[in-house]
Short mmCIF file of all heavy atoms in Angstrom, two decimals:
data_model
loop_
_atom_site.label_atom_id
_atom_site.label_comp_id
_atom_site.label_asym_id
_atom_site.label_seq_id
_atom_site.Cartn_x
_atom_site.Cartn_y
_atom_site.Cartn_z
N PHE A 110 -22.64 59.57 -27.29
CA PHE A 110 -22.55 58.89 -28.57
C PHE A 110 -23.89 58.96 -29.31
O PHE A 110 -24.97 58.71 -28.70
CB PHE A 110 -22.13 57.39 -28.40
CG PHE A 110 -20.72 57.32 -27.92
CD1 PHE A 110 -20.51 56.73 -26.63
CD2 PHE A 110 -19.62 57.78 -28.61
CE1 PHE A 110 -19.23 56.59 -26.10
CE2 PHE A 110 -18.36 57.62 -28.10
CZ PHE A 110 -18.14 57.04 -26.84
N ALA A 113 -24.41 53.47 -32.40
CA ALA A 113 -23.40 52.40 -32.16
C ALA A 113 -22.20 52.66 -33.04
O ALA A 113 -21.03 52.49 -32.67
CB ALA A 113 -24.03 51.04 -32.38
N ASP A 114 -22.48 53.07 -34.32
CA ASP A 114 -21.33 53.36 -35.22
C ASP A 114 -20.49 54.48 -34.72
O ASP A 114 -19.25 54.38 -34.82
CB ASP A 114 -21.90 53.75 -36.64
CG ASP A 114 -22.22 52.50 -37.45
OD1 ASP A 114 -21.79 51.40 -37.02
OD2 ASP A 114 -22.82 52.68 -38.49
N HIS A 115 -21.07 55.52 -34.21
CA HIS A 115 -20.29 56.67 -33.64
C HIS A 115 -19.44 56.16 -32.55
O HIS A 115 -18.22 56.51 -32.44
CB HIS A 115 -21.29 57.73 -33.16
CG HIS A 115 -20.58 58.98 -32.58
ND1 HIS A 115 -21.12 59.74 -31.63
CD2 HIS A 115 -19.34 59.46 -32.91
CE1 HIS A 115 -20.27 60.72 -31.31
NE2 HIS A 115 -19.17 60.63 -32.10
N MET A 116 -19.99 55.33 -31.65
CA MET A 116 -19.19 54.75 -30.54
C MET A 116 -18.05 53.94 -31.05
O MET A 116 -16.88 54.07 -30.68
CB MET A 116 -20.12 53.95 -29.61
CG MET A 116 -19.49 53.48 -28.31
SD MET A 116 -18.51 52.06 -28.44
CE MET A 116 -19.72 50.77 -28.61
N ARG A 117 -18.32 53.04 -32.02
CA ARG A 117 -17.27 52.19 -32.53
C ARG A 117 -16.16 53.02 -33.25
O ARG A 117 -14.99 52.78 -33.01
CB ARG A 117 -17.86 51.21 -33.61
CG ARG A 117 -18.70 50.17 -32.94
CD ARG A 117 -19.44 49.24 -33.92
NE ARG A 117 -20.16 48.21 -33.24
CZ ARG A 117 -20.93 47.30 -33.82
NH1 ARG A 117 -21.07 47.26 -35.11
NH2 ARG A 117 -21.55 46.36 -33.10
N HIS A 118 -16.51 53.97 -34.04
CA HIS A 118 -15.49 54.76 -34.75
C HIS A 118 -14.66 55.57 -33.71
O HIS A 118 -13.44 55.69 -33.90
CB HIS A 118 -16.14 55.74 -35.75
CG HIS A 118 -16.81 55.01 -36.84
ND1 HIS A 118 -17.83 55.62 -37.64
CD2 HIS A 118 -16.66 53.74 -37.34
CE1 HIS A 118 -18.22 54.76 -38.54
NE2 HIS A 118 -17.56 53.62 -38.39
N THR A 119 -15.28 56.05 -32.71
CA THR A 119 -14.54 56.83 -31.66
C THR A 119 -13.56 55.87 -30.94
O THR A 119 -12.39 56.24 -30.81
CB THR A 119 -15.53 57.45 -30.69
OG1 THR A 119 -16.47 58.19 -31.36
CG2 THR A 119 -14.80 58.33 -29.69
N MET A 120 -14.03 54.77 -30.48
CA MET A 120 -13.22 53.90 -29.63
C MET A 120 -12.13 53.23 -30.51
O MET A 120 -11.07 52.83 -29.98
CB MET A 120 -13.98 52.88 -28.85
CG MET A 120 -15.11 53.47 -27.96
SD MET A 120 -14.67 54.97 -27.07
CE MET A 120 -13.68 54.38 -25.74
N ASP A 121 -12.37 53.04 -31.78
CA ASP A 121 -11.36 52.44 -32.67
C ASP A 121 -10.27 53.45 -33.11
O ASP A 121 -9.22 53.06 -33.61
CB ASP A 121 -12.02 51.98 -33.99
CG ASP A 121 -12.88 50.71 -33.81
OD1 ASP A 121 -12.78 50.11 -32.72
OD2 ASP A 121 -13.63 50.41 -34.74
N GLY A 122 -10.48 54.72 -32.86
CA GLY A 122 -9.56 55.76 -33.32
C GLY A 122 -8.67 56.36 -32.23
O GLY A 122 -8.47 55.73 -31.17
N PRO A 123 -8.11 57.55 -32.46
CA PRO A 123 -7.14 58.15 -31.53
C PRO A 123 -7.76 58.42 -30.12
O PRO A 123 -7.02 58.32 -29.16
CB PRO A 123 -6.76 59.45 -32.20
CG PRO A 123 -7.63 59.63 -33.41
CD PRO A 123 -8.24 58.31 -33.72
N VAL A 124 -9.05 58.68 -30.07
CA VAL A 124 -9.68 58.94 -28.74
C VAL A 124 -9.60 57.64 -27.92
O VAL A 124 -9.25 57.64 -26.74
CB VAL A 124 -11.09 59.46 -28.87
CG1 VAL A 124 -11.80 59.35 -27.56
CG2 VAL A 124 -11.16 60.88 -29.42
N GLY A 125 -9.94 56.55 -28.57
CA GLY A 125 -9.89 55.25 -27.90
C GLY A 125 -8.49 54.92 -27.46
O GLY A 125 -8.26 54.47 -26.29
N ASP A 126 -7.49 55.16 -28.27
CA ASP A 126 -6.10 54.86 -27.91
C ASP A 126 -5.67 55.71 -26.73
O ASP A 126 -4.98 55.23 -25.76
CB ASP A 126 -5.16 55.23 -29.06
CG ASP A 126 -5.31 54.20 -30.26
OD1 ASP A 126 -5.89 53.13 -29.98
OD2 ASP A 126 -4.92 54.54 -31.37
N GLU A 127 -6.13 56.96 -26.69
CA GLU A 127 -5.76 57.85 -25.57
C GLU A 127 -6.37 57.34 -24.26
O GLU A 127 -5.74 57.33 -23.22
CB GLU A 127 -6.31 59.22 -25.93
CG GLU A 127 -5.97 60.36 -24.99
CD GLU A 127 -6.56 61.63 -25.45
OE1 GLU A 127 -6.65 61.94 -26.68
OE2 GLU A 127 -6.96 62.44 -24.60
N LEU A 129 -7.27 54.18 -23.61
CA LEU A 129 -6.58 52.90 -23.24
C LEU A 129 -5.26 53.25 -22.51
O LEU A 129 -4.92 52.59 -21.49
CB LEU A 129 -6.33 52.07 -24.46
CG LEU A 129 -7.48 51.27 -25.10
CD1 LEU A 129 -7.00 50.44 -26.32
CD2 LEU A 129 -8.16 50.36 -24.05
N ALA A 141 -8.36 46.66 -25.12
CA ALA A 141 -9.38 46.73 -26.17
C ALA A 141 -10.70 47.23 -25.55
O ALA A 141 -10.96 47.05 -24.37
CB ALA A 141 -9.58 45.45 -26.90
N PHE A 142 -11.52 47.78 -26.44
CA PHE A 142 -12.92 48.08 -26.07
C PHE A 142 -13.86 47.16 -26.80
O PHE A 142 -13.63 46.85 -27.95
CB PHE A 142 -13.28 49.54 -26.53
CG PHE A 142 -12.44 50.56 -25.80
CD1 PHE A 142 -11.51 51.31 -26.53
CD2 PHE A 142 -12.59 50.82 -24.44
CE1 PHE A 142 -10.74 52.27 -25.87
CE2 PHE A 142 -11.83 51.77 -23.78
CZ PHE A 142 -10.92 52.52 -24.57
N TYR A 143 -14.87 46.78 -26.07
CA TYR A 143 -15.95 45.98 -26.68
C TYR A 143 -17.26 46.75 -26.67
O TYR A 143 -17.38 47.76 -25.93
CB TYR A 143 -16.18 44.70 -25.88
CG TYR A 143 -15.05 43.65 -26.00
CD1 TYR A 143 -14.80 42.74 -24.92
CD2 TYR A 143 -14.33 43.46 -27.17
CE1 TYR A 143 -13.81 41.83 -25.01
CE2 TYR A 143 -13.32 42.52 -27.19
CZ TYR A 143 -13.09 41.67 -26.17
OH TYR A 143 -12.13 40.70 -26.23
N ASP A 144 -18.25 46.31 -27.43
CA ASP A 144 -19.54 46.92 -27.45
C ASP A 144 -20.38 46.65 -26.24
O ASP A 144 -20.22 45.63 -25.56
CB ASP A 144 -20.35 46.42 -28.69
CG ASP A 144 -19.97 47.14 -29.94
OD1 ASP A 144 -18.75 47.41 -30.17
OD2 ASP A 144 -20.91 47.40 -30.75
N PRO A 235 -18.84 51.87 -23.26
CA PRO A 235 -18.11 50.70 -23.83
C PRO A 235 -17.61 49.74 -22.72
O PRO A 235 -17.41 50.17 -21.58
CB PRO A 235 -16.94 51.35 -24.53
CG PRO A 235 -17.27 52.80 -24.66
CD PRO A 235 -18.18 53.10 -23.55
N LYS A 261 -6.99 43.10 -29.93
CA LYS A 261 -7.57 43.93 -31.03
C LYS A 261 -8.39 43.00 -32.07
O LYS A 261 -9.44 43.40 -32.48
CB LYS A 261 -6.48 44.62 -31.83
CG LYS A 261 -5.76 45.72 -31.02
CD LYS A 261 -6.35 47.08 -31.28
CE LYS A 261 -5.68 48.15 -30.49
NZ LYS A 261 -6.55 48.94 -29.66
N VAL A 264 -12.03 42.09 -31.28
CA VAL A 264 -13.06 43.10 -31.27
C VAL A 264 -14.10 42.83 -32.38
O VAL A 264 -15.33 42.88 -32.10
CB VAL A 264 -12.50 44.51 -31.43
CG1 VAL A 264 -13.60 45.57 -31.59
CG2 VAL A 264 -11.61 44.87 -30.18
N ALA A 265 -13.68 42.50 -33.57
CA ALA A 265 -14.58 42.26 -34.66
C ALA A 265 -15.48 41.04 -34.36
O ALA A 265 -16.69 41.07 -34.55
CB ALA A 265 -13.85 41.98 -35.97
N ARG A 268 -18.12 42.04 -31.88
CA ARG A 268 -19.20 42.87 -32.45
C ARG A 268 -20.23 42.01 -33.22
O ARG A 268 -21.37 42.30 -33.18
CB ARG A 268 -18.61 43.97 -33.33
CG ARG A 268 -17.98 45.06 -32.52
CD ARG A 268 -17.32 46.13 -33.39
NE ARG A 268 -16.74 47.14 -32.54
CZ ARG A 268 -15.87 48.06 -32.98
NH1 ARG A 268 -15.56 48.07 -34.25
NH2 ARG A 268 -15.37 48.91 -32.11
N THR A 324 -16.05 63.19 -34.05
CA THR A 324 -15.78 61.92 -34.79
C THR A 324 -16.97 61.51 -35.59
O THR A 324 -18.12 61.54 -35.07
CB THR A 324 -15.38 60.82 -33.71
OG1 THR A 324 -14.33 61.29 -32.92
CG2 THR A 324 -15.00 59.54 -34.41
#
Side-chain angles (χ1 to χ4, degrees):
F110 295 115
D114 275 350
H115 181 210
M116 189 278 285
R117 288 175 177 177
H118 294 159
T119 306
M120 303 321 280
D121 288 348
V124 167
D126 289 343
E127 186 179 324
L129 284 181
F142 296 111
Y143 289 150
D144 276 40
K261 291 267 179 234
V264 174
R268 288 179 180 165
T324 305

